C-alpha cells in the first residue's frame, strides 16, 4: 500500500487566492486587513518564518508590518509595543513570534495582546473559548491540520485519533479540535509508555513532536490518516516526525514535510487576520 500524499501546498495556495479575493472586497469597502509581527532577537529560523508571513500578507493584499526588537528588549518594552499595536486601528492581527528570548515572559506577552487581535489564538481568553467549544480564534497550525484531515474525505465522527505532543500551540488545541469533530482522542507525550501501542490504534494520527523518525511504519495503523506537523533539520534537509517512506507503505494518507502542514499554517494566519478585519468592519 502506498499512502496518498496530502498536498498542503496546493491547498494553501487555493485558500490564499480565495483570501486575496475577499481582501480586495474589503478594501473596496475601505478596510485593509493589517497584520503586525513582532520579532525579538535574531534567531535565524524565526527570521525566515517572519519574512514568509510578511510576504504572504502582502501577496494577499494585506497591510503587513514587522517590528524587529533587539535581543536585550525588556518585558516592559515588549508589552509597550504590543499596547501600541493594540491601539493602532490599521492593525487587525498581532503576532509575537515564538520562541522569545529566555529572559522574557511568553505567557505575559501573549496575554497582553487584545483577544480580538490575537490571530494566533494563543491568548488565554481564546484558548478558553476553544476549550468551551465556543466560536473563537483557532490556532493556525491545528486549524490547518484539521483542514488537511477534512480534505481526505475521511469521516471523523467516532474515529480514534491520537495526537503526539501536548504543547499549548499545537498538541492541546489539536486534541480539542479532534474532540469537537467527534473523535475519541488520546494525547501522547514524552512520558507516554509504549508510544507505538497507542499510535497503532489511531485512525487519525497527528504528530507534533519535533524529532525526526519518532513515528515509524510499524507504529501506524494500516490506512490511517497521518498528519506530520514536525519540522526537523537533518543534515541540512527539512523533514517531519514520520519516517516518510516507511509510514507511506502503511498509512492511507500522509502529509509531506515540507509541503504539508507548514503552508497551511500560513494560510490559516491570513484567514484569521481576514476574519479579524471583517469583524472590525
Ligand atoms: P514542543 O517542543 O512545545 O512540544 C513537543 C511535544 O512533543 C511535547 O509535548 C513533548 O512531550 C513531546 N515529545 C517529545 N519527545 C517525545 C517522544 N519521544 N515521544 C512522544 N512525545 C514526545 O513543540 P511544538 O508543539 O511547538 O512543535 C512540535 C513540532 O511541530 C516542532 O517540530 C515544530 O517545529 C513543529 N511546528 C510546525 C509548525 C508548522 O507550521 N508546520 C508550527 C508549529 C510547530 P512533553 O510535553 O512531555 O515534553
Amino acid at each position: 500500500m502506498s499512502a496518498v500524499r496530502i498536498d498542503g501546498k496546493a491547498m494553501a495556495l487555493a485558500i490564499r487566492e480565495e483570501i486575496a479575493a475577499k481582501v480586495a472586497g474589503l478594501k473596496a469597502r475601505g478596510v485593509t486587513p493589517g497584520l503586525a509581527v513582532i520579532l525579538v532577537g535574531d534567531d535565524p529560523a524565526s527570521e525566515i518564518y517572519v519574512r514568509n508571513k510578511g510576504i504572504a500578507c502582502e501577496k494577499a493584499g494585506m497591510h503587513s508590518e514587522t517590528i524587529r526588537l533587539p535581543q536585550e528588549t525588556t518585558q516592559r518594552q515588549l508589552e509597550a509595543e504590543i499596547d501600541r499595536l493594540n491601539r493602532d486601528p490599521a492593525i487587525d492581527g498581532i503576532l509575537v513570534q515564538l520562541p522569545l528570548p529566555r529572559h522574557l515572559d511568553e505567557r505575559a506577552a501573549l496575554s497582553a495582546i487584545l483577544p480580538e487581535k490575537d490571530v494566533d489564538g494563543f491568548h488565554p481568553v481564546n484558548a478558553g473559548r476553544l476549550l468551551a467549544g465556543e466560536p473563537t480564534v483557532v490556532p493556525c497550525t491545528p486549524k490547518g491540520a484539521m483542514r488537511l484531515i477534512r480534505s481526505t474525505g475521511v469521516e471523523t465522527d467516532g474515529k480514534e485519533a491520537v495526537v503526539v505532543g501536548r504543547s499549548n500551540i499545537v498538541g492541546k488545541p489539536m486534541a480539542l479540535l479532534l474532540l469537537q469533530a467527534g473523535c475519541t482522542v488520546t494525547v501522547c507525550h514524552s512520558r507516554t509508555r509504549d508510544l507505538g501501542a497507542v499510535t497503532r490504534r489511531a485512525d487519525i494520527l497527528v504528530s507534533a513532536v519535533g524529532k525526526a523518525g519518532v513515528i515509524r511504519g510499524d507504529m501506524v495503523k494500516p490506512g490511517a490518516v497521518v498528519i506530520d506537523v514536525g519540522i526537523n533539520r537533518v543534515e541540512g534537509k527539512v523533514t517531519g516526525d514520520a519516517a516518510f517512506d516507511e509510514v507511506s507503505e502503511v498509512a492511507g494518507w500522509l502529509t509531506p514535510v515540507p509541503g504539508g502542514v507548514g503552508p497551511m499554517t500560513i494560510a490559516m494566519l491570513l484567514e484569521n487576520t481576514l476574519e479579524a478585519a471583517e469583524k472590525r468592519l
Side-chain angles (χ1 to χ4, degrees), residues 24-262:
L26 273 186
K27 278 173 145 176
R29 296 165 72 191
V31 171
T32 301
L35 175 71
V37 180
I38 302 179
L39 174 62
V40 187
D42 45 20
D43 176 59
S46 295
E47 184 67 49
I48 296 170
Y49 294 141
V50 166
R51 194 175 341 124
N52 288 343
K53 286 168 187 172
I55 293 170
C57 258
E58 278 158 22
K59 278 195 179 161
M62 295 182 180
H63 166 67
S64 148
E65 271 178 42
T66 302
I67 293 99
R68 287 186 166 74
L69 300 176
Q71 176 78 19
E72 58 276 11
T73 301
T74 64
Q75 187 74 23
R76 221 174 150 164
Q77 288 166 332
L78 173 61
E79 289 183 24
E81 196 57 41
I82 293 170
D83 189 46
R84 182 185 70 76
L85 294 166
N86 278 341
R87 286 182 281 106
D88 184 342
I91 296 300
D92 297 289
I94 304 170
L95 185 158
V96 175
Q97 184 64 39
L98 303 179
L100 286 170
R102 285 168 62 169
H103 67 279
L104 293 174
D105 182 343
E106 203 166 280
R107 269 204 309 189
L110 296 177
S111 301
I113 299 171
L114 275 181
E116 54 271 34
K117 292 198 178 190
D118 164 41
V119 281
D120 252 341
F122 297 160
H123 191 285
V125 165
N126 289 325
R129 286 184 183 140
L130 183 66
L131 185 71
E134 292 170 16
T136 186
V137 187
V138 177
C140 305
T141 300
K143 188 179 187 186
M146 277 313 289
R147 295 280 176 91
L148 292 168
I149 294 167
R150 297 257 182 247
S151 78
T152 64
V154 168
E155 177 60 64
T156 52
D157 200 45
K159 295 289 168 62
E160 288 274 350
V162 172
V163 180
V164 190
R166 57 174 165 178
S167 71
N168 288 337
I169 64 174
V170 190
K172 283 184 203 164
M174 188 74 231
L176 290 172
L177 292 175
L178 287 163
L179 199 58
Q180 276 178 16
C183 296
T184 301
V185 184
T186 307
V187 182
C188 300
H189 44 78
S190 68
R191 314 298 293 161
T192 299
R193 291 183 194 158
D194 198 351
L195 183 63
V198 184
T199 57
R200 267 191 297 276
R201 294 206 311 259
D203 301 303
I204 298 166
L205 174 60
V206 180
S207 183
V209 174
K211 286 187 182 156
V214 73
I215 306 296
R216 315 291 316 194
D218 63 2
M219 295 165 72
V220 173
K221 182 175 179 176
V225 177
V226 180
I227 305 293
D228 191 346
V229 180
I231 300 178
N232 310 291
R233 279 173 187 80
V234 181
E235 291 165 3
K237 278 176 92 177
V238 175
T239 68
D241 288 345
F244 190 84
D245 292 343
E246 278 179 25
V247 173
S248 276
E249 286 303 307
V250 188
W253 289 266
L254 173 61
T255 57
V257 180
V261 176

